Amino acid sequence: MGNLLCCVQVKQSKVAIRERFGKFNSVLKPGCHCLPWICGYRLAGHLSLRLQQLEVRCETKTKDNVFVNVVASVQYHVLSDKASDAFYKLSNARSQIQAYVFDVIRASVPKLNLDDVFEQKNEVAKAVEQELEKAMSAYGYEIVQTLIVDIEPDEHVKRSMNEINAAARMRVATNEKAEAEKIIQIKRAEAEAESKYLSGTGIARQRQAIVDGLRDSVLGFSENVPGTSAKDVLDMVLVTQYFDTMKEIGGSSKSSAVFIPHGPGAVRDVASQIRDGLLQVSSHQHHQ
């Protein structure tokens, strides 16, 4: 109906190319336009001004001979003031963009090692974008943004990289565990040394208390009973302790049989041994 009335409608975000007798005449913007076909005008076609996106997958090889698939995403659109160039100069914009992406990626990536490709993907994307801008602006297209969205090494290489990373993490974890065990052992040794020190101090104090108690008993008995020497009192105390100990051993129901020499000579030997030990302790403390 519009063609019969010589009117055409151009939708929003689009432009139309008008020709007269097969020659470019003008670019029609969104809205209603008169197109008198009887005067040789005709509508050659439409172009979308919307932002378009193209993903390009390119296989190439790095400097260290690793094959990778680089996926680039290119966002572009037609410039409204250069719509005629986009319509007449380029028949397939997507194929042209793809060719330029291939060219730049295959020229840039082989100069880098695999690890550098991951680290410098932004530089590669910028190089692709600059090359596309120079080339596509002549055809009426503007490159809005170019991104390297994925870098996929060969499956075997990817598996090897994962194993290397796992081994590195395991090595770090092993070092941390060994360091923790070392700290635990040091703390345990320090605690054991402290415990032994405290135990030895307690035993020394216990022996000192025994010596002090015996000394007080001997001095008190000698003062209250004239004619007795310190040796006599000490022998009597030791013999008393000896018999008390024998009584406790015999009265305990859980005690096993204990065979010890018994008699006046045995008692004298035991008293002599205890007295000599106490004198040695006392002499050692005086030297300190």
Side-chain angles (χ1 to χ4, degrees):
M1 186 67 178
N3 289 335
L4 292 176
L5 297 177
C6 299
C7 292
V8 295
Q9 177 183 338
V10 181
K11 295 184 177 180
Q12 186 67 32
S13 299
K14 287 189 176 182
V15 293
I17 303 300
R18 183 173 64 181
E19 295 179 346
R20 186 179 184 188
F21 297 115
K23 183 181 178 181
F24 170 72
N25 179 257
S26 64
V27 177
L28 303 180
K29 297 184 181 300
C32 186
H33 301 272
C34 182
L35 198 70
W37 56 270
I38 196 170
C39 297
Y41 291 100
R42 79 177 191 94
L43 196 66
H46 292 83
L47 282 174
S48 174
L49 300 179
R50 293 179 178 177
L51 185 68
Q52 302 180 61
Q53 180 168 310
L54 173 65
E55 283 199 357
V56 182
R57 180 181 292 271
C58 176
E59 184 180 22
T60 185
K61 187 173 70 170
T62 62
K63 186 177 180 180
D64 47 355
N65 296 321
V66 177
F67 283 94
V68 292
N69 283 312
V70 180
V71 181
S73 177
V74 182
Q75 296 176 346
Y76 64 98
H77 68 88
V78 175
L79 295 170
S80 59
D81 57 341
K82 292 186 177 181
S84 59
D85 292 337
F87 188 81
Y88 289 106
K89 290 184 177 181
L90 201 59
S91 60
N92 191 332
R94 298 176 73 87
S95 297
Q96 190 74 10
I97 291 173
Q98 186 175 12
Y100 280 110
V101 172
F102 279 171
D103 182 63
V104 176
I105 288 179
R106 287 174 176 167
S108 302
V109 173
K111 299 177 182 178
L112 304 171
N113 291 324
L114 179 60
D115 292 339
D116 296 333
V117 173
F118 284 97
E119 294 176 1
Q120 302 182 26
K121 67 175 185 177
N122 291 335
E123 286 76 4
V124 175
K126 188 175 181 180
V128 173
E129 184 173 334
Q130 290 175 348
E131 187 67 24
L132 285 175
E133 284 178 351
K134 288 191 297 184
M136 300 303 293
S137 61
Y139 299 109
Y141 284 87
E142 179 185 11
I143 305 301
V144 178
Q145 192 173 26
T146 303
L147 300 173
I148 301 298
V149 296
D150 198 8
I151 300 172
E152 299 177 354
D154 181 76
E155 190 63 32
H156 297 291
V157 176
K158 191 185 300 184
R159 189 181 304 114
S160 299
M161 291 173 66
N162 292 335
E163 291 176 356
I164 292 172
N165 290 334
R169 292 191 181 94
M170 184 66 70
R171 184 165 57 251
V172 172
T174 302
N175 291 338
E176 293 292 336
K177 183 178 179 181
E179 190 66 24
E181 291 180 353
K182 176 183 176 182
I183 293 173
I184 291 174
Q185 291 177 359
I186 291 174
K187 293 299 182 183
R188 186 183 294 120
E190 291 177 351
E192 186 176 354
E194 183 68 18
S195 175
K196 289 182 178 179
Y197 171 77
L198 295 176
S199 176
T201 302
I203 293 173
R205 289 176 178 173
Q206 181 184 16
R207 290 174 178 173
Q208 180 63 39
I210 294 173
V211 171
D212 292 342
L214 288 175
R215 182 174 60 249
D216 293 342
S217 298
V218 170
L219 293 176
F221 195 90
S222 299
E223 292 175 356
N224 295 326
V225 181
T228 58
S229 65
K231 179 179 179 304
D232 296 334
V233 177
L234 183 58
D235 288 341
M236 184 185 69
V237 171
L238 294 177
V239 170
T240 303
Q241 292 291 333
Y242 176 79
F243 283 110
D244 289 341
T245 303
M246 295 292 294
K247 180 179 179 182
E248 289 179 2
I249 293 174
S252 176
S253 60
K254 296 182 180 179
S255 298
S256 302
V258 178
F259 297 94
I260 58 174
H262 181 61
V267 174
R268 185 169 55 254
D269 293 340
V270 171
S272 176
Q273 292 173 10
I274 296 175
R275 183 172 58 255
D276 293 342
L278 292 173
L279 291 175
Q280 289 178 4
V281 171
S282 179
S283 174
H284 177 69
Q285 290 174 348
H286 285 306
H287 286 302
Q288 288 182 343

